[in-house]
Amino acid sequence: MNEQYKLKKISLSLFHFFLVFFILSLFFSFDKIYIALIVALITIFFNQKIKKIISINILVLTFSLKIIFLLLSPEDYYSTLSKTIYEKDYLYGVRNIELKVNIFGGNLNPTDKSKTKIVNISTDKYGFRNAIDFKDSDFILIGDSMLHNHRIDDNYLINSILNKSKTFKFYNAALSSTDVGHYLETIKFFKENNYERQFIAFFFTGNDFLNYEKVQKNYSDKLNNIIYRNYFEIKEFFDFFTKIKFVIQIFKENKLPDRVDKNKTINDEKVYFYKSYYVKPDQNLNLSKKFDFYKNYSPDIIVIIPTKAQVYCKYIQDYNCPNINYESVLKNNKIFENSLILDSTQYLTDNAEIFLNSNKFIYEKEDTHLNELGLNILSKFLLKNLNS
């Protein structure tokens, strides 16, 4: 009888530990999950009565908050983005979603609700935005928010535009907030699973050209990990971390205005520019020796996407147009020495000039990304080079 009591006590303690740890983990980012673990471990030493009180209260708090956030769901520019990727510290796309969302503002003016549009967003079993299976593709596209952009409807993403050409089939494996380290790991995932395709990586000059010391080690291992995925599906359902972070941000100083240049006009239209995207002539991209590991996972083709300031630089009085040989910059890294480098800067600049005649822009005026027209032009640039 005493043994049964001890076994029951241990079982209840373990149940309490896992319950507290699991629920508390919903409130923290992936890299801070150890805080939930420490708190749960401390509660093991409490007596059963206190443990019961804690368990009941934590369950009541959890479901109360879920109801509150359902009724009072905070909405801003980033709320849609948070529905498509799990979180900054677990950069993977949310699987199998079908969203119809109202989009407003831009990342340079996120509170502007004067212009809105309805956007359809759907993802596949890997969390990427595609209507086709990657096994049916000829090329896999790798990149960041330029290709994954939550402000662009499924029908106007670059892969959707390219697939209308019927020359080749394209699969979009891009994800917002990723960098060159993630790109290489994504290629590694497909290649190690024997999905041999041609890989086209899109490098954005605004934030991809950096000095990379650390690799994104094991990023690809979690891309199709069922345990991680199921846990984050539950975390996404409650969405406490994102919602609470939003509330905290309300009381923090907004530093975005200091980072945005709102004083420029083109064709009498106000156009916003991100100050750090005023690219300098000495821009570089350097990979540490650790990246030599990716020699067999380098992209077949690298497409350079310029910043809005580079494309419209002739209209910016206090900005000299930088003339950068991106092929030379990239070829300084061994893993890119066999990659074909396609710089779209001049092509986009020429087309931007043409469309300005009808007062059309190829970038969002209050955002750093290409708009639907810009993605259409970029797709033509790629097809032109693939067919030549």
Side-chain angles (χ1 to χ4, degrees):
M1 190 74 174
N2 192 40
E3 289 297 321
Q4 284 184 331
Y5 176 76
K6 283 183 178 179
L7 184 62
K8 182 181 178 181
K9 191 175 179 181
I10 292 171
S11 298
L12 286 172
S13 292
L14 285 173
F15 173 76
H16 170 81
F17 165 75
F18 284 113
L19 177 67
V20 172
F21 169 66
F22 177 75
I23 292 179
L24 287 181
S25 73
L26 302 178
F27 292 83
F28 294 94
S29 64
F30 189 54
D31 71 333
K32 295 289 193 306
I33 205 170
Y34 65 87
I35 298 175
L37 179 62
I38 292 170
V39 173
L41 283 170
I42 292 172
T43 63
I44 287 178
F45 302 101
F46 296 167
N47 63 49
Q48 290 297 332
K49 186 177 180 180
I50 295 176
K51 286 179 182 177
K52 188 176 180 180
I53 293 171
I54 291 173
S55 295
I56 292 171
N57 278 280
I58 203 170
L59 284 170
V60 171
L61 174 65
T62 299
F63 288 102
S64 297
L65 280 176
K66 178 60 182 175
I67 293 169
I68 290 170
F69 285 136
L70 280 174
L71 297 173
L72 301 170
S73 180
E75 187 177 280
D76 74 335
Y77 172 84
Y78 299 101
S79 61
T80 302
L81 179 61
S82 70
K83 294 173 185 175
T84 62
I85 58 174
Y86 290 109
E87 61 181 64
K88 183 180 178 182
D89 298 305
Y90 187 77
L91 271 177
Y92 299 90
V94 179
R95 299 181 301 172
N96 303 317
I97 58 173
E98 293 284 344
L99 299 175
K100 191 170 187 177
V101 293
N102 190 35
I103 296 294
F104 59 85
N107 62 4
L108 301 180
N109 194 18
T111 59
D112 180 17
K113 295 186 179 182
S114 61
K115 294 179 182 178
T116 63
K117 62 180 178 180
I118 301 297
V119 171
N120 293 288
I121 300 174
S122 59
T123 63
D124 61 17
K125 62 181 179 181
Y126 293 113
F128 297 127
R129 297 183 64 184
N130 293 280
I132 68 168
D133 193 289
F134 62 87
K135 294 176 183 176
D136 299 323
S137 66
D138 302 294
F139 295 93
I140 294 179
L141 311 179
I142 311 290
D144 63 3
S145 55
M146 274 293 181
L147 277 64
H148 177 255
N149 196 346
H150 70 279
R151 292 178 55 78
I152 301 292
D153 189 272
D154 286 339
N155 291 321
Y156 302 107
L157 287 175
I158 190 168
N159 48 305
S160 298
I161 298 169
L162 288 167
N163 285 332
K164 291 175 184 176
S165 70
K166 298 181 180 180
T167 309
F168 304 104
K169 288 295 180 183
F170 299 84
Y171 179 84
N172 187 345
L175 199 67
S176 295
S177 300
T178 53
D179 60 27
V180 172
H182 297 96
Y183 305 165
L184 297 170
E185 275 286 310
T186 304
I187 295 173
K188 177 173 170 275
F189 167 78
F190 285 107
K191 286 199 171 186
E192 288 194 342
N193 284 281
N194 298 315
Y195 305 136
E196 288 291 341
R197 297 291 186 276
Q198 293 256 12
F199 293 92
I200 305 175
F202 291 75
F203 286 16
F204 177 52
T205 62
N207 55 19
D208 278 332
F209 284 76
L210 306 168
N211 292 318
Y212 294 87
E213 291 295 328
K214 296 181 180 179
V215 298
Q216 295 293 339
K217 190 177 181 182
N218 300 324
Y219 173 81
S220 61
D221 296 340
K222 300 187 187 79
L223 192 58
N224 199 31
N225 186 298
I226 300 301
I227 296 174
Y228 277 106
R229 287 285 189 172
N230 288 338
Y231 166 72
F232 273 93
E233 293 292 337
I234 298 170
K235 193 172 184 181
E236 182 70 16
F237 171 75
F238 286 100
D239 201 23
F240 291 151
F241 173 67
T242 303
K243 296 292 194 301
I244 292 172
K245 186 179 177 182
F246 173 83
V247 174
I248 293 171
Q249 287 297 124
I250 293 174
F251 299 98
K252 281 189 172 183
E253 182 185 357
N254 185 6
K255 296 181 180 179
L256 181 62
D258 296 331
R259 299 170 182 168
V260 179
D261 183 352
K262 298 182 178 182
N263 301 314
K264 301 295 185 290
T265 56
I266 301 175
N267 275 17
D268 296 323
E269 295 272 357
K270 186 174 283 292
V271 181
Y272 291 7
F273 293 91
Y274 198 51
K275 291 178 182 178
S276 66
Y277 288 178
Y278 284 134
V279 172
K280 297 178 181 179
D282 61 349
Q283 188 179 51
N284 216 328
L285 188 155
N286 293 306
L287 303 177
S288 70
K289 291 290 291 182
K290 295 176 184 177
F291 282 84
D292 290 348
F293 168 78
Y294 295 102
K295 177 65 178 174
N296 295 323
Y297 305 114
S298 59
D300 300 282
I301 300 171
I302 298 175
V303 177
I304 305 299
I305 302 179
T307 67
K308 180 163 63 175
Q310 286 175 284
V311 169
Y312 292 105
C313 67
K314 66 179 283 187
Y315 298 96
I316 306 173
Q317 290 183 355
D318 52 353
Y319 179 53
N320 294 321
C321 302
N323 185 17
I324 302 170
N325 186 336
Y326 284 108
E327 181 172 11
S328 176
V329 169
L330 291 175
K331 296 287 185 180
N332 284 330
N333 298 279
K334 284 186 178 181
I335 68 169
F336 300 137
E337 60 186 10
N338 294 320
S339 300
L340 174 64
I341 313 298
L342 300 176
D343 187 352
S344 69
T345 304
Q346 194 58 53
Y347 189 88
L348 290 178
T349 302
D350 292 342
N351 278 272
E353 189 71 17
I354 292 169
F355 281 100
L356 268 182
N357 292 327
S358 52
N359 213 35
K360 293 179 180 178
F361 291 81
I362 69 171
Y363 285 78
E364 300 270 7
K365 283 180 280 188
E366 296 185 355
D367 199 279
T368 57
H369 298 86
L370 290 165
N371 58 22
E372 292 86 347
L373 176 59
L375 288 172
N376 193 290
I377 295 168
L378 183 63
S379 68
K380 289 179 180 178
F381 169 79
L382 180 59
L383 285 174
K384 178 183 175 183
N385 281 277
L386 291 178
N387 291 323
S388 61

